[in-house]
Amino acid sequence: QMRPYLLLDPATSYNGFKVVALPRSGRLFQTAPRTGVETVLSAGMLVSETLFEVSVDEAVATDFFEVQLCRGVMTLAVSAASCDSQQVFRVAYQVVAMSPP
């Protein structure tokens, strides 16, 4: 599993992300910090958590997923309109096969 982190501009108020594109291999999900409940993400889904996890069962030469920033106050729910015209991030990764020592 890989845990990429996105660094946000502290001068701008963001309250979530819109999932734009899913990885071709594996699954993209988030784990709720307090409950540990996993949510498998789908394209178009709005999320407020900032940690994205990718799970794959085999080596992947290269893959990516895309998320779009959504502006807003952290105490309010994320709305699709708040994501319009905001930056899209492409998070690229690779998974190498593990071998015994």
Side-chain angles (χ1 to χ4, degrees):
Q1 290 184 10
M2 184 185 119
R3 296 181 179 207
Y5 294 87
L6 301 178
L7 300 176
L8 304 178
D9 178 2
T12 305
S13 181
Y14 300 105
N15 69 345
F17 298 92
K18 177 180 174 181
V19 178
V20 177
L22 297 171
R24 292 180 303 262
S25 55
R27 64 187 181 106
L28 182 65
F29 67 98
Q30 291 187 319
T31 303
R34 291 190 179 102
T35 64
V37 173
E38 288 184 1
T39 301
V40 176
L41 304 178
S42 58
M45 194 172 213
L46 300 174
V47 297
S48 59
E49 295 295 327
T50 58
L51 177 64
F52 295 87
E53 300 178 76
V54 177
S55 177
V56 296
D57 294 326
E58 58 190 19
V60 176
T62 185
D63 204 349
F64 67 91
F65 62 91
E66 293 178 337
V67 292
Q68 184 175 29
L69 291 170
C70 301
R71 294 183 79 145
V73 179
M74 291 299 292
T75 56
L76 299 177
V78 182
S79 71
S82 70
C83 307
D84 293 343
S85 75
Q86 296 302 308
Q87 186 172 359
V88 174
F89 286 91
R90 176 175 279 187
V91 181
Y93 61 92
Q94 72 179 51
V95 179
V96 296
M98 294 186 65
S99 58

